[in-house]
Amino acid sequence: MPVFKPPIGVVNNAKKAIKWREEYPKETSSAGTQVGWTRARQLANGESVSEDIIGRMVSFFARHEGSKEVAPEYRNEP
């Protein structure tokens, strides 16, 4: 089964999310799932992921398509 290295944009976004979680624990404590934060750390470290994992990530994002909209004034906040 092939494995894939995450693109630099994915690595940087994962690092940003983790940084915000560390800097704003009160505001972000209920955000995400344990699996999601584990995946974020994996991606932030530039670890390779399998095709199966990518498929699961695609499915997750497809199910949460409506949750991605963020008001412009909040785009750079946790």
Side-chain angles (χ1 to χ4, degrees):
M1 182 181 293
V3 293
F4 302 91
K5 292 289 277 180
I8 192 68
V10 170
V11 170
N12 290 338
N13 284 333
K15 286 179 180 180
K16 185 190 310 185
I18 291 167
K19 180 179 177 216
W20 281 349
R21 188 173 194 214
E22 292 168 353
E23 290 180 7
Y24 304 97
K26 181 179 169 188
E27 294 87 345
T28 60
S29 64
S30 64
T33 64
Q34 184 173 354
V35 170
W37 287 111
T38 299
R39 186 77 60 234
R41 285 188 293 279
Q42 186 180 27
L43 295 171
N45 291 332
E47 296 176 24
S48 295
V49 293
S50 69
E51 189 173 7
D52 179 58
I53 295 292
I54 292 171
R56 285 189 250 159
M57 291 167 60
V58 168
S59 293
F60 172 84
F61 288 119
R63 288 192 310 272
H64 298 277
E65 182 70 20
S67 302
K68 73 179 184 178
E69 293 301 318
V70 177
E73 65 268 24
Y74 299 115
R75 289 221 170 106
N76 292 315
E77 293 189 26

